[in-house]
Amino acid sequence: MDTITKNNQNFLLVAQSESRDIITGDSQQDKKESSVKIQQNHYQLKGVVATGSTLQSDVTKIPGNMSVVDSKSIMTMPNTKITDTIKRLPGVRIDNDVSFNPRPKVKIRGINYGTLLMLDGVILSDLEGESRILNQISLYDVERVEVARGSFASLYGTGAIGGVVNFITSMPNKFETTFITGYGNELVKGQGDQNTFKIYGSIGSAFFDKRFKVKLSAGYTRGDMEAGFPTYFANGDNTAQNSGLSGYYVDNAGQTIIGTGGRRKLQTYDIRLKTSYDISENDTISAMLSFSNHYYRFSGYTSFLKDSQGNPTDLICLTDKPYKNYFIGSGLGGIGSYSHLLGNLNYIHDFEDSTLKIAFSTMNLFSWWQDADRDNANNPGTINGGAGKTQDTNSSSNYLDIIYQDNHFDNHRVSAALQFRYYKYAQDQRYMTNWLDKNTRTDSYRNFGNDALVASAYINVDSQWLDSLSTNIGLRYDFWQNFNGYFYNQEALSQNTTNEENRLSVFSPKFGINYKPLSTNTQNLIFKASIGTGFRMPTMRDKYQFTHASNYWDINPNLKHESALSFDIGTEYTLDSKILQGQFTTSLYYFQIELRDMIYREGSGDENNPWKFINAGRGRILGIEYAFSIPLFLEGLTLDGNYTLTRAIVLKNPTKPTTEGKQIPATPLHSFNLSLNFMSHAPSGFYSSLWAFYVPAFYNNDLNSTPLRNTYGYYEDQFSLNLKIGYRFHNGLDISVSFYNMTNYRYYDFYQVAGVSAYAQLGYKF
């Protein structure tokens, strides 16, 4: 069986709910299997019976392209962090994916900020559109990852017009404890991640005939990560000749490179407590609480500069400026800390032929970042202290979901929900007298924020008309209210606003149909099609992105929401073959998304043509997602691959007609993944995975200028080869070694990726 289930065969997603968190505890399943009062469906897929709660859907009825990454794949493939589990799936891209990026951006089908990310059903995105928590979550705590693409994904609401990713953590069915630790380092000096250390532990059990379950887990990561960018003269100081220095060079974009920015010395930790309790045969309550943090500090920059006597230096003096150290205060380095408090509380009651679920969840961010102010005339920042600037960001996202599912009818299932959201976001940028001391903050020079209240309702009907024919009909309504919006900028007082507010009322209908003309013990063929609408509100980062280092930005607080009409059609085929010693699967999907008031990034990011998020009149994203898994005549050995075509173009843009017909920036036209996997079905034995991906060069601006090689800020041809080899013993011991970027090809994905490294891991599960 292919461990990354590409053709939807094991997808267990809650029926069309924005808070679709899965009932993963086995006690819920045990209870329902023993109860005669609850309608239960069993579906035989790939030789596995998928038995879930009544809030789950038969995967063969879900319209659109779905994927699941199971626990075996997560543990046996060469993953370094949680986002690695999904970036090899068709249609999925992680933007600017460098080492432990503290702010990973997941894109599905080319839509910026159009992917909703969840952990155990809790939405991780905030008003800023960021998911800083994502790479704080311990990789080893995740049991399954579910990815939904297409129109029905937008039943989650705003932010899901491209798709949804739900990371699901495990729960025990008996007493179990896990311990995992490992160490990794670069294999070519100065080019890869150094001194990576990880440790993870969990303990959990089930009590009272498995009615009460509890699990406590914690993960910690430390390392010196490759920064992925050079340091160069910023703010127009690109005339190194005037400084009397040598050793610098000018790259392909005309940027003066004076050295490397050093390494991101980071540490992350993630602590999580999960519980569930079956109060009665018909009532279950569950809860989760977690706290996580990502702290980093840049150090170890390397200067290429030499003074007039040929001595190494990191200080620069131009004719009209005092000496400065350009390796600090660029806006790319500094010190940062992102903390998250996350929790949810769920109650489920099963009636005789229906189910009610009430869920409350909250996600809170407390973060700060600080860097030197090298332009301060009275107290310029130095490597040892001095003036600085800081950015403090706090946000709170709170959710209440009331979901009802009716199963009275043999061939129809009705789901309905009321959902309420309250968001709060504030960012304060201040001066500091000592950028190394967080207690030296003084006056604000820029701050902004916003509150939002969202009330939503949806209804969805799944109908089985014939054994081979089913449909899905859904309708969602959202009322979005922004209020208490403000913006203050000491450097541009004319931009300042207070008490900003606006309202939005949106209906989003959906329709899907599945037809299965062939279904036998050895073969399954299914055709799927779906169409629906959705919308996305502009994020705070869309509106307020500021210049840092050489990345020049203009703000746009007047952005409008974008609307999407999404359509996809596809087919999936499965064949159990005794000759091939396994199951052959393949799928092919065509998707098309028509965008109105599309939000995209215009400009080139330089001083004369800064980047800026704007609304284009119309945009279109269309493409193909193809995937296959082929068994190779040996049980457990498969060749898996996929190809994605994403043609994302500006159709009409009255504000900038020269961009019409151009590919949307930072969106690759093609991507390829191929992996050779061996995973024994036995509980012990050898396993391995060799994975390669390739992406041709693509554009970094809306005029589609030719991508430059070996240049910071550009997207050149990308190739990476990764390997993991391990062995599981009967006693629960697991030993493995992984190699990342084995060819040491350090391509630019905006930033430069880390070179070849190795990582050895030891795990034990009892």
Side-chain angles (χ1 to χ4, degrees):
M1 182 190 301
D2 177 22
T3 55
I4 296 183
T5 311
K6 299 177 177 61
N7 297 310
N8 314 341
Q9 303 300 313
N10 291 328
F11 192 79
L12 300 177
L13 187 63
V14 168
Q16 313 310 334
S17 161
E18 180 171 346
S19 66
R20 298 183 178 187
D21 52 337
I22 303 297
I23 308 301
T24 56
D26 290 336
S27 62
Q28 183 74 12
Q29 296 179 9
D30 296 341
K31 176 188 70 174
K32 295 183 185 306
E33 290 170 355
S34 63
S35 175
V36 297
K37 296 181 179 180
I38 299 174
Q39 179 175 330
Q40 182 70 60
N41 293 321
H42 300 263
Y43 304 104
Q44 185 74 31
L45 298 172
K46 290 184 128 180
V48 176
V49 177
T51 305
S53 77
T54 54
L55 291 182
Q56 293 169 339
S57 299
D58 176 2
V59 297
T60 63
K61 298 177 183 177
I62 296 175
N65 191 5
M66 309 286 174
S67 298
V68 166
V69 185
D70 62 24
S71 59
K72 182 178 286 188
S73 173
I74 293 171
M75 296 303 293
T76 57
M77 296 195 74
N79 302 312
T80 63
K81 53 190 183 298
I82 191 172
T83 51
D84 290 345
T85 63
I86 58 173
K87 68 181 184 182
R88 62 179 61 89
L89 297 176
V92 179
R93 168 171 163 77
I94 314 297
D95 257 9
N96 308 344
D97 189 32
V98 179
S99 294
F100 260 76
N101 184 350
R103 290 180 355 207
K105 182 179 175 182
V106 180
K107 292 167 65 172
I108 293 180
R109 293 182 171 176
I111 300 181
N112 289 314
Y113 296 111
T115 303
L116 198 68
L117 303 172
M118 309 174 76
L119 177 70
D120 291 331
V122 180
I123 299 172
L124 303 179
S125 307
D126 56 25
L127 280 181
E128 189 181 15
E130 295 290 328
S131 299
R132 289 180 170 92
I133 190 176
L134 197 54
N135 278 335
Q136 299 173 20
I137 300 168
S138 176
L139 170 69
Y140 311 113
D141 209 28
V142 177
E143 182 179 51
R144 187 168 72 253
V145 187
E146 303 171 335
V147 179
R149 310 167 184 84
S151 60
F152 269 82
S154 63
L155 272 174
Y156 286 96
T158 182
I161 57 177
V164 176
V165 180
N166 191 16
F167 298 94
I168 300 166
T169 59
S170 62
M171 280 290 278
N173 195 39
K174 60 181 180 179
F175 175 78
E176 61 180 42
T177 182
T178 302
F179 175 81
I180 299 172
T181 187
Y183 175 80
N185 201 22
E186 62 184 3
L187 296 182
V188 176
K189 186 176 181 179
Q191 297 198 32
D193 295 337
Q194 297 178 351
N195 299 318
T196 304
F197 170 74
K198 298 180 185 179
I199 188 169
Y200 169 83
S202 69
I203 185 169
S205 190
F207 306 93
F208 310 122
D209 294 328
K210 300 182 181 181
R211 292 175 57 194
F212 176 65
K213 295 182 178 182
V214 61
K215 177 189 173 185
L216 176 66
S217 62
Y220 174 80
T221 298
R222 185 189 68 206
D224 299 337
M225 304 304 178
E226 177 65 23
F229 50 78
T231 300
Y232 48 85
F233 293 144
N235 302 322
D237 296 336
N238 291 317
T239 314
Q241 294 86 343
N242 292 343
S243 68
L245 301 176
S246 61
Y248 61 87
Y249 69 91
V250 178
D251 71 6
N252 294 323
Q255 301 170 132
T256 304
I257 307 300
I258 63 173
T260 61
R263 293 180 175 273
R264 187 193 301 269
K265 301 176 71 70
L266 69 82
Q267 60 180 15
T268 70
Y269 64 83
D270 177 40
I271 303 171
R272 181 167 296 100
L273 176 66
K274 292 183 67 176
T275 63
S276 68
Y277 180 59
D278 293 343
I279 303 172
S280 68
E281 283 190 347
N282 299 325
D283 298 275
T284 297
I285 188 169
S286 61
M288 182 267 286
L289 181 67
S290 73
F291 185 80
S292 60
N293 175 265
H294 182 133
Y295 172 85
Y296 67 87
R297 179 172 182 160
F298 277 80
S299 64
Y301 62 82
T302 300
S303 175
F304 300 156
L305 298 175
K306 296 180 181 180
D307 62 20
S308 58
Q309 285 76 41
N311 299 316
T313 183
D314 55 10
L315 296 177
I316 301 166
C317 180
L318 299 180
T319 56
D320 60 339
K321 295 180 181 295
Y323 280 101
K324 296 182 182 180
N325 185 331
Y326 278 80
F327 292 91
I328 59 174
S330 69
L332 290 172
I335 306 170
S337 175
Y338 309 125
S339 298
H340 288 87
L341 179 64
L342 184 72
N344 69 353
L345 179 65
N346 302 321
Y347 169 73
I348 295 179
H349 178 77
D350 289 309
F351 300 95
E352 184 172 354
D353 292 299
S354 59
T355 300
L356 174 68
K357 177 178 179 178
I358 302 174
F360 171 76
S361 56
T362 182
M363 198 277 290
N364 302 275
L365 165 69
F366 317 96
S367 76
W368 55 268
W369 170 84
Q370 53 203 44
D371 199 2
D373 181 5
R374 64 192 178 200
D375 293 318
N376 189 293
N378 299 318
N379 179 27
T382 71
I383 193 67
N384 298 313
K389 294 182 178 180
T390 184
Q391 177 178 292
D392 302 325
T393 303
N394 296 284
S395 72
S396 181
S397 305
N398 304 277
Y399 313 97
L400 174 64
D401 298 270
I402 304 170
I403 307 165
Y404 177 76
Q405 183 170 292
D406 190 284
N407 298 307
H408 282 84
F409 305 101
D410 292 338
N411 298 319
H412 305 280
R413 181 175 57 196
V414 180
S415 302
L418 294 174
Q419 299 170 327
F420 303 93
R421 313 281 181 251
Y422 174 65
Y423 300 95
K424 189 175 184 65
Y425 178 88
Q427 185 176 119
D428 194 0
Q429 300 174 16
R430 302 182 181 183
Y431 294 110
M432 305 179 69
T433 58
N434 181 358
W435 73 276
L436 296 176
D437 184 355
K438 62 182 297 186
N439 296 315
T440 64
R441 285 163 167 75
T442 58
D443 299 329
S444 296
Y445 64 90
R446 185 164 56 207
N447 55 60
F448 58 94
N450 188 42
D451 293 5
L453 182 65
V454 186
S456 308
Y458 82 81
I459 185 167
N460 191 78
V461 181
D462 300 322
S463 300
Q464 187 74 47
W465 302 102
L466 302 170
D467 289 342
S468 60
L469 181 66
S470 63
T471 60
N472 306 73
I473 301 175
L475 178 64
R476 181 181 181 88
Y477 170 75
D478 291 276
F479 175 78
W480 185 292
Q481 169 79 60
N482 284 319
F483 59 98
N484 291 339
Y486 63 92
F487 179 76
Y488 168 76
N489 186 358
Q490 179 178 293
E491 300 172 354
L493 297 178
S494 62
Q495 297 176 342
N496 295 348
T497 59
T498 58
N499 298 319
E500 290 181 358
E501 65 175 64
N502 66 285
R503 298 178 179 86
L504 180 67
S505 181
V506 179
F507 283 95
S508 304
K510 325 283 178 188
F511 175 76
I513 185 169
N514 298 335
Y515 175 60
K516 186 162 57 175
L518 177 63
S519 179
T520 69
N521 291 332
T522 60
Q523 296 185 76
N524 277 284
L525 175 65
I526 186 170
F527 295 97
K528 296 185 177 183
S530 64
I531 189 170
T533 64
F535 74 102
R536 180 177 82 82
M537 294 295 289
T539 68
M540 299 298 283
R541 183 160 287 267
D542 286 334
K543 296 190 291 185
Y544 301 112
Q545 179 75 280
F546 300 101
T547 294
H548 61 278
S550 67
N551 303 317
Y552 287 85
W553 284 89
D554 278 345
I555 67 170
N556 187 4
N558 299 315
L559 272 178
K560 298 181 291 185
H561 75 282
E562 63 180 345
S563 302
L565 172 64
S566 179
F567 165 79
D568 61 14
I569 185 169
T571 182
E572 303 169 7
Y573 176 72
T574 302
L575 171 66
D576 285 313
S577 173
K578 294 182 179 179
I579 298 175
L580 296 176
Q581 291 289 300
Q583 190 173 75
F584 167 76
T585 65
T586 187
S587 65
L588 177 64
Y589 278 85
Y590 170 83
F591 63 88
Q592 184 166 323
I593 305 167
E594 299 291 324
L595 295 164
R596 292 191 177 274
D597 293 321
M598 177 183 66
I599 299 173
Y600 88 104
R601 189 189 74 193
E602 73 158 353
S604 299
D606 56 45
E607 190 172 12
N608 297 322
N609 187 22
W611 283 324
K612 180 181 180 180
F613 284 108
I614 68 168
N615 291 107
R618 287 182 57 200
R620 174 177 295 158
I621 303 177
L622 57 86
I624 294 171
E625 295 160 344
Y626 171 68
F628 65 85
S629 178
I630 305 173
L632 298 178
F633 304 99
L634 178 65
E635 186 177 20
L637 181 64
T638 61
L639 179 67
D640 305 319
N642 61 71
Y643 163 72
T644 303
L645 167 69
T646 308
R647 182 75 172 104
I649 58 175
V650 178
L651 287 181
K652 186 177 182 180
N653 188 3
T655 63
K656 196 173 182 181
T658 53
T659 63
E660 294 178 2
K662 305 292 188 181
Q663 180 85 350
I664 296 173
T667 305
L669 183 62
H670 308 280
S671 64
F672 303 84
N673 286 275
L674 191 66
S675 62
L676 182 65
N677 305 303
F678 178 74
M679 302 178 192
S680 173
H681 299 322
S684 63
F686 169 81
Y687 62 86
S688 67
S689 177
L690 179 66
W691 165 55
F693 79 87
Y694 173 72
V695 178
F698 51 102
Y699 305 111
N700 79 331
N701 64 43
D702 57 349
L703 294 178
N704 291 184
S705 301
T706 302
L708 301 178
R709 294 184 56 81
N710 300 315
T711 305
Y712 166 68
Y714 285 78
Y715 303 96
E716 60 182 316
D717 292 58
Q718 305 178 4
F719 173 78
S720 184
L721 184 65
N722 309 275
L723 172 67
K724 185 172 185 178
I725 303 173
Y727 192 87
R728 287 189 297 266
F729 295 87
H730 284 286
N731 61 0
L733 190 67
D734 190 312
I735 301 175
S736 67
V737 61
S738 299
F739 300 91
Y740 307 110
N741 196 5
M742 295 168 60
T743 62
N744 199 40
Y745 177 40
R746 302 199 62 199
Y747 59 86
Y748 274 88
D749 185 13
F750 194 92
Y751 306 106
Q752 189 178 27
V753 304
V756 59
S757 64
Y759 180 80
Q761 180 173 290
L762 174 67
Y764 177 74
K765 185 174 183 179
F766 174 77

